[in-house]
Amino acid sequence: MIQGLKLDNNQLLACDPQKAQVLWFSKPDAGERRLLLERFHLDEHAVASALDPDEISRIEFHPDALFVIWKRPENYSGKDSFSFDVSSFGVLLSRDQLVLICDDEQPLSALGAHRPLDQPLDILLKLLFNNIHHYLGHLKVIKMVARELQQKFNSSLENRHLLQMFNLSESLVYYINAIHSNGAVLTRLRNHAQGRQYAADSLALIDDMIIENDQCYKQAEIYSTVFAGLMDARGNLVNNSTNTLLRKLTLINVVFLPLNLIAGIGGMSEFSMMTAPLHWWVAYPALLLAMLGLGAVMVWGLRKMARAA
């Protein structure tokens, strides 16, 4: 699907794609991909990279345009899995037009809420800036979810909560990788902007993005380290609880094992029938001596096998 947008009073308004300053390719089909290849001179790899959720962020400079692959956080669904995903989208920026390629229908509204939008470059910078704030918002949500899981851990040691904490930790690893690669893109974009003598406000905005992206990266690293420690601590707590339970069960077995042995020996009606000609005070002591002798032979044999090994 292709949507055309134009700048009007610092806002993006829908318009005819033929006259649009912003072309938004959402889930492009074969014909739209062919248009990207022929009209905008993108290659197959660039288009596929823009639609690949696992593609790493990068920026390419051309004589009359630049092409950016950017990692962004997916909208959090709030399901029990507590999984935060990332995906990629591509942006082709020329002097008078911006082409956005993505695999979903994420809206571009409210980009001009805090900063005027006068040219396609402003749209690109604001889009990247909003994505950085999106990461920061998700990190706050992750912190809140982690606190909720800790409270659940205090009242219950179910594996479900441990798996949810693992999902959070895994999501943070993906976030750290995405934010780090985005930081490399911003650094190269800053050098390019300085060489092309971009406006002072654009350079200042790129500097702000670099700072906030770096803060976001460090915050994600801290959360990842804390969650890894929490998972180890919770795992040890579960193991200690299991060991305590097994210790209690072992104690119960030790207490009742002699009773079971006495009840088993005393209740052997077949043995009493087989030894009927003998007195019980002869048959049962003989059985106990035979059992002790067999146990001693087994201990001796096992020790000999252990020494031989």
Side-chain angles (χ1 to χ4, degrees), residues 48-304:
S49 298
L51 301 175
D52 184 4
D54 298 324
E55 187 68 23
I56 301 299
S57 302
R58 70 174 188 272
I59 184 170
E60 301 174 359
F61 300 106
H62 303 284
D64 55 349
L66 61 87
F67 181 71
V68 177
I69 298 292
W70 185 263
K71 301 291 291 185
R72 60 170 177 170
E74 291 287 338
N75 291 329
Y76 176 56
S77 61
K79 297 180 180 179
D80 291 338
S81 62
F82 293 150
S83 179
F84 293 78
D85 298 323
V86 295
S87 62
S88 303
F89 67 90
V91 179
L92 178 66
L93 175 67
S94 60
R95 182 180 298 274
D96 301 321
Q97 195 172 48
L98 183 140
V99 179
L100 175 64
I101 309 169
C102 59
D103 197 27
D104 58 10
E105 298 180 357
Q106 180 178 352
L108 294 175
S109 59
L111 288 182
H114 304 289
R115 186 175 184 272
L117 300 177
D118 299 323
Q119 55 181 334
L121 175 62
D122 297 333
I123 301 174
L124 172 62
L125 296 181
K126 190 61 180 178
L127 179 62
L128 302 185
F129 191 78
N130 283 1
N131 271 272
I132 295 174
H133 277 217
H134 199 174
Y135 277 113
L136 291 172
H138 277 195
L139 289 176
K140 293 180 181 179
V141 174
I142 289 175
K143 185 177 181 180
M144 294 173 58
V145 172
R147 287 180 177 177
E148 181 181 351
L149 285 177
Q150 290 181 35
Q151 294 176 357
K152 292 181 179 179
F153 267 124
N154 294 333
S155 59
S156 174
L157 293 176
E158 296 182 8
N159 290 334
R160 177 169 58 92
H161 302 323
L162 194 61
L163 290 176
Q164 290 171 346
M165 183 68 76
F166 175 78
N167 288 337
L168 284 180
S169 181
E170 183 183 18
S171 299
L172 281 174
V173 173
Y174 296 143
Y175 270 32
I176 290 173
N177 182 49
I179 296 170
H180 182 266
S181 60
N182 286 347
V185 169
L186 291 175
T187 301
R188 293 196 63 195
L189 180 61
R190 176 64 174 82
N191 296 333
H192 175 77
Q194 188 172 9
R196 292 297 183 93
Q197 297 182 351
Y198 281 18
D201 56 345
S202 298
L203 291 174
L205 181 58
I206 296 175
D207 289 335
D208 291 341
M209 285 193 292
I210 292 176
I211 293 174
E212 294 207 16
N213 189 80
D214 186 56
Q215 293 175 347
C216 185
Y217 175 76
K218 292 180 179 179
Q219 189 173 354
E221 269 194 329
I222 292 173
Y223 287 173
S224 180
T225 303
V226 171
F227 287 171
L230 284 176
M231 288 182 60
D232 292 340
R234 296 302 179 184
N236 293 334
L237 182 60
V238 171
N239 291 335
N240 290 337
S241 300
T242 304
N243 292 336
T244 302
L245 179 60
L246 291 177
R247 190 180 301 113
K248 293 179 180 179
L249 293 176
T250 303
L251 180 61
I252 294 174
N253 286 332
V254 170
V255 171
F256 284 96
L257 183 60
L259 301 178
N260 291 333
L261 179 62
I262 295 173
I265 294 175
M268 292 189 299
S269 58
E270 293 84 356
F271 180 76
S272 300
M273 180 186 65
M274 293 170 59
T275 59
L278 299 176
H279 296 288
W280 68 268
W281 49 269
V282 175
Y284 278 94
L287 175 63
L288 293 176
L289 289 175
M291 292 174 63
L292 291 175
L294 180 60
V297 171
M298 292 179 63
V299 170
W300 175 80
L302 291 174
R303 288 182 176 178
K304 186 175 181 180

